Amino acid sequence: MKKKLLALLLAAVMVLSLAACGGKTDTPPADSNTPAQNEPANSGDSTDQPAAGQFGYDRATGTEVYGPYWDEWSDMTDEELYELAKAENNPINIYATSSKMLKTEEGFEELYPGLDLVVSDLDSDEVLSKAEIENSTNNITADVLQTKDVNGDVFFEYYSKGIIEPFYPRDICSHIEEENLKFSFPLYASQAFWYYNTEAFPDGQPITSWWQIIEKNPDGSQKYRIFAKEIGQETAYLSLFASFITNADEMAQSYKDIYGTDLEYTYDPAGFAFEVPENNAGVEYLWRFTQAKMTFIGDGDELVLAVHNSTKDDPALCLASAGKIENRDESGYNIAWCTNLTPYTALLNTESMFVVKGCDSPAGARLFIRYVTGGADGQSGGFKPFTKTGNWPLRDDVDNDKNPVSLHDLGARANDLDAIYSIFPDVQDMWTYWRDQAK
């Protein structure tokens, strides 16, 4: 309920953004660990302004401030940060959700002698909860967090609580599309796909729209067997369904494009303590999807195996992470991604880098973030451990040739955390309530 009330407040007080940093408050950031508050070097571009105010959601003013966000750190070079980091004389502690981060230690320490990098491989919830506990007890160990924000919790909660602060290196940001800088500084993007059996459908993917996933045969039976992780426990999947509700017009048009008629609304909004929007195509889709017969499997390899074992007469689709496509080559599975679904294939799940506010190594933290995202020219070597199938770099000067399809050919889009955050709790409630009603 607290989050819903906050969402209503956000809607009432949202302020237009500045050209350079997305928004402004009247209170300058306070951080005793940063250098003197001097403006960064200005290239002469009229939009090249330093940011002011609380990044994220400022509870005091009700303002939302987006990236890219420039401050006195933004124009510092690797060499300048290295000199400051050596003077800090502290280990640089990284809390990461990807085990690949462990592989960055040796390369970073070789490139920057005298610096000690310590990486902790943690679950997503652990990364955030540990940082929050350290902040509340004033016993801060972490310097950098690597995690994702798929429903807006990090953007709206952790900046305003003073747990993290933004870092946007200007030279690297010039190689990243601004829509991918709005809520955080990204490391890479991943996503989940619907998989189909290539032997059962040799002519290509059998579906081109999300509506076809839950399509029925003329006799009323379900056309495809559906396999997925427990969607009600997957924040990223629920956020995707929430996006369908906020993009209801696109969902309605997708239905009409496929079937040639307007969508009929069949959901009952009763039973909820909040107002469910009427005649919303995203809500209608959520209702119909919850009523579909599906099998939940926690292991991604077993999900794609279920599709591999399906047949043309008994076809199956599964929703699994993009990286599971590797089973095609490693295990000979007859599987492929469904791409360019309407209205869009998926939301990009962006793994991001955050500086811990009040950390002991503010310069070292920022130097490492630059390193792991490729450095000034994309050639630092720090991103190399993350160049696996299913991960897409967001820099235009860094490639990952292990992916069979480029990022721009997937039909995915950036996550609008503003829209997702305001309705996520309601979507979670609707999923649970309606799924319990499924036959």
Side-chain angles (χ1 to χ4, degrees), residues 132-295:
E132 188 166 14
I133 292 170
E134 290 178 8
N135 177 272
S136 64
T137 59
N138 198 29
N139 185 27
I140 297 173
T141 299
D143 298 293
V144 175
L145 307 183
Q146 175 257 311
T147 189
K148 66 179 65 173
D149 185 13
V150 295
N151 67 344
D153 273 352
V154 176
F155 181 78
F156 285 103
E157 302 288 343
Y158 283 78
Y159 287 112
S160 63
K161 292 178 180 177
I163 298 171
I164 56 174
E165 59 187 358
F167 172 53
Y168 284 92
R170 197 188 303 264
D171 55 347
I172 297 177
C173 288
S174 69
H175 293 283
I176 303 173
E177 293 181 4
E178 192 160 314
E179 67 175 0
N180 295 316
L181 296 169
K182 186 175 181 180
F183 302 104
S184 62
F185 181 63
L187 175 60
Y188 64 84
S190 62
Q191 69 176 79
F193 283 101
W194 286 101
Y195 286 76
Y196 72 97
N197 185 304
T198 53
E199 189 174 75
F201 299 98
D203 296 330
Q205 64 189 63
I207 58 172
T208 58
S209 167
W210 274 80
W211 292 101
Q212 292 172 313
I213 296 168
I214 54 175
E215 204 169 79
K216 295 183 182 298
N217 293 310
D219 64 0
S221 61
Q222 197 164 299
K223 190 170 185 178
Y224 302 102
R225 286 190 292 139
I226 297 175
F227 295 87
K229 291 185 177 181
E230 170 52 87
I231 292 175
Q233 299 175 9
E234 295 289 323
T235 304
Y237 293 168
L238 289 176
S239 295
L240 178 59
F241 282 105
S243 77
F244 291 155
I245 295 174
T246 63
N247 295 300
D249 290 346
E250 293 182 66
M251 287 296 290
Q253 187 61 50
S254 174
Y255 183 92
K256 189 169 185 177
D257 290 343
I258 292 294
Y259 301 110
T261 60
D262 290 331
L263 176 64
E264 179 183 354
Y265 297 95
T266 61
Y267 64 88
D268 181 2
F272 301 104
F274 50 87
E275 183 178 351
V276 177
E278 295 182 3
N279 295 340
N280 181 291
V283 176
E284 179 66 26
Y285 188 82
L286 178 64
W287 156 248
R288 295 190 187 189
F289 195 96
T290 61
Q291 302 310 293
K293 181 179 180 180
M294 62 192 77
T295 301

Side-chain angles (χ1 to χ4, degrees), residues 193-196 205 322 325 336-339 389 392 403-405 410:
F193 283 101
W194 286 101
Y195 286 76
Y196 72 97
Q205 64 189 63
I325 195 69
W337 296 333
C338 294
T339 62
T389 304
W392 284 267
N403 285 317
V405 183
L410 299 175

Side-chain angles (χ1 to χ4, degrees), residues 179 191 193 340 344-348 407-414:
E179 67 175 0
Q191 69 176 79
F193 283 101
N340 290 303
Y344 43 90
T345 307
L347 299 177
L348 293 178
L407 183 65
H408 292 287
D409 293 331
L410 299 175
R413 64 173 57 172

Side-chain angles (χ1 to χ4, degrees), residues 36 39 50 53 56 59 68 71 79-80 104 236 246 259 330 355 435:
E39 290 188 2
R59 297 173 185 274
D71 61 13
E79 292 74 18
E80 290 171 328
T104 65
T246 63
Y259 301 110
E330 295 175 357
V355 175
R435 186 63 192 165

